[in-house]
């Protein structure tokens, strides 16, 4: 029976990436190898916090992770670049939400390339509210073409003009 770690509203944008709360979160995620769902949406995690979580928390031990919700955090391009290799370990992921994460094309394209290589079980991809523009959409099309299981794709408010 898998476990779920729901949203941790005590983490906000202000703390340093070295705060005890984030260190504890990274350790908790790293130690919980049966984690099926990780929901950190709306916590205002900074780019530095996201990078640390990806480096120290998500890894090979999380091959069972099915759902990852990071919506409403400051993933930005740096966080997306940290998340890309971590997704390589999450091969069973079915739902990925990066809604309103302030990503631009520079971060989204490598993240989508990692998703294309690794996430063959992905059913839901939510990228709404990011700035994907033309090149981001091209990368996204490659992910969708490589993964015929995607049945929900949210690109609302992505500044797509092409």
């Amino acid at each position: 029976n898998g476990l779920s770690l729901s949203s941790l509203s005590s983490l906000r944008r202000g703390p340093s990436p070295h705060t005890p709360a984030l260190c504890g979160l990274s350790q908790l995620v790293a130690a919980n190898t049966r984690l099926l769902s990780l929901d950190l949406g709306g916590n205002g995690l900074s780019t530095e916090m996201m990078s640390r979580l990806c480096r120290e928390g998500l890894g090979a031990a999380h091959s069972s992770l099915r759902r990852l919700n990071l919506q409403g955090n400051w993933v930005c391009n740096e966080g997306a670049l940290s998340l890309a290799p971590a997704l390589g370990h999450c091969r069973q992921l079915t739902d990925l939400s990066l809604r309103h994460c302030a990503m631009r094309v520079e971060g989204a394209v490598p993240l989508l390339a990692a998703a294309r290589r690794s996430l063959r079980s992905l059913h839901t991809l939510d990228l709404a509210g990011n700035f994907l523009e033309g090149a981001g959409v091209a990368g996204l099309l490659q992910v969708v073409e490589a993964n015929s299981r995607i049945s929900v794709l949210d690109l609302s408010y992505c500044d797509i003009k092409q």
Side-chain angles (χ1 to χ4, degrees):
N1 193 14
L3 301 175
S4 176
L5 182 64
S6 39
S7 192
L8 300 175
S9 59
S10 63
L11 294 176
R12 295 287 174 222
R13 196 174 314 158
S16 149
H18 306 290
T19 61
L22 183 65
C23 293
L25 174 62
S26 293
Q27 290 171 352
L28 178 65
V29 171
N32 189 346
T33 58
R34 297 181 345 182
L35 196 63
L36 293 179
S37 178
L38 178 59
D39 185 344
L40 295 172
N43 282 296
L45 297 177
S46 69
T47 298
E48 294 82 17
M49 291 174 149
M50 286 298 310
S51 295
R52 182 170 183 167
L53 178 64
C54 291
R55 262 192 338 271
E56 298 174 10
L58 296 173
H62 290 94
S63 60
S64 63
L65 191 65
R66 303 282 193 279
R67 183 175 179 271
L68 180 59
N69 178 7
L70 298 172
Q71 73 179 18
N73 290 297
W74 293 98
V75 173
C76 303
N77 291 335
E78 281 182 45
L81 293 173
S82 297
L83 183 57
L87 287 179
H89 300 291
C90 302
R91 295 187 182 276
Q92 300 302 314
L93 201 64
T94 60
D95 299 292
L96 177 60
S97 179
L98 294 166
R99 173 182 285 259
H100 298 290
C101 285
M103 285 189 304
R104 295 196 173 278
V105 172
E106 299 83 5
V109 168
L111 182 69
L112 292 170
R116 186 182 74 240
R117 287 189 304 274
S118 306
L119 303 181
R120 301 288 180 197
S121 299
L122 196 64
H123 291 267
T124 302
L125 180 58
D126 185 350
L127 297 170
N130 291 291
F131 308 100
L132 298 183
E133 303 165 337
V137 173
L140 180 62
L141 289 175
Q142 292 175 348
V143 171
V144 174
E145 287 172 357
N147 186 339
S148 61
R149 292 183 182 215
I150 293 178
S151 58
V152 178
L153 178 61
D154 192 340
L155 298 174
S156 55
Y157 304 102
C158 283
D159 198 30
I160 298 171
K161 294 182 175 89
Q162 299 177 3

